[in-house]
C-alpha cells in the first residue's frame, strides 16, 4: 500500500542524529538534525572545519549527498 510506505518514510530517519557520515565531497560529518519530509537529506555538521560550526543542509544543497556511513 503506497499510503503506508509514504507514512513510514515520512516518519523514519535514514540517517539518525549523531550518525557519522562522509559526504561526496570527501568531508566527514555528523548528522545533527532531520529535515521533515526529506529523510535522506539531513543537516550535517562538518568535522573538517576547525573551531567552526559549519552545517550543510542537504535539502538545500542538492549537489552534496551522503556517500558513506561509519559504524561505531
Amino acid at each position: 500500500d503506497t499510503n503506508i510506505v509514504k507514512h513510514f518514510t515520512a516518519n523514519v530517519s535514514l540517517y539518525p542524529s549523531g550518525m557519522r557520515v562522509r559526504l561526496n565531497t570527501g568531508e566527514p560529518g555528523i548528522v545533527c538534525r532531520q529535515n521533515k519530509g526529506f529523510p535522506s537529506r539531513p543537516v550535517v555538521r562538518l568535522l573538517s572545519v576547525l573551531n567552526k560550526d559549519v552545517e550543510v543542509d542537504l535539502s538545500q544543497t542538492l549537489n552534496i549527498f551522503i556517500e558513506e556511513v561509519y559504524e561505531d
Side-chain angles (χ1 to χ4, degrees):
D1 185 350
T2 58
N3 288 330
I4 292 172
V5 172
K6 286 180 187 177
H7 183 70
F8 179 79
T9 57
N11 292 293
V12 175
S13 172
L14 294 176
Y15 304 106
S17 295
M19 178 173 275
R20 294 184 318 128
V21 297
R22 183 174 54 84
L23 302 177
N24 65 310
T25 59
E27 297 171 292
I30 296 178
V31 175
C32 57
R33 65 181 178 277
Q34 307 303 311
N35 280 311
K36 188 172 176 98
F38 299 98
S40 65
R41 309 292 292 170
V43 177
V44 176
R45 179 173 292 125
L46 300 180
L47 297 176
S48 61
V49 180
L50 299 176
N51 300 321
K52 293 186 179 183
D53 286 337
V54 176
E55 295 180 352
V56 178
D57 184 344
L58 299 183
S59 71
Q60 302 296 314
T61 312
L62 301 180
N63 63 326
I64 299 176
F65 54 88
I66 294 174
E67 191 167 79
E68 186 175 357
V69 173
Y70 295 106
E71 302 282 331
D72 285 336

